[in-house]
Amino acid sequence: IIDLEMPKTIVLRQMKQAVANSKPFQKEAKLAVTRAVTVFVSYLTVLYYAVAAGVGLVSRPPNSTTL
């Protein structure tokens, strides 16, 4: 999962926009949100390929790292 992490700057920007009057975030909070976003996006990708394969849009998922 670490190799697939979302860019930290984008995640941090979204965190700042989501929290009004945001103070600096702790290192652990940034890491936790970054990993959660990565897992969620990976899940959506797997789900997309499962649905697409079910309706015949794709024959198999692309070669990638197994989650």
Side-chain angles (χ1 to χ4, degrees), residues 1 6 33-48 67:
I1 293 276
M6 300 296 291
V33 171
T34 301
R35 289 191 178 166
V37 168
T38 302
V39 169
F40 181 69
V41 170
S42 298
Y43 169 75
L44 289 179
T45 303
V46 170
L47 184 63
Y48 163 78
L67 298 178

Side-chain angles (χ1 to χ4, degrees), residues 15-40:
M15 288 174 64
K16 286 180 181 179
Q17 288 179 358
V19 179
N21 299 326
S22 64
K23 296 179 181 175
F25 294 100
Q26 291 182 353
K27 181 179 178 181
E28 293 82 13
K30 290 188 268 187
L31 181 62
V33 171
T34 301
R35 289 191 178 166
V37 168
T38 302
V39 169
F40 181 69

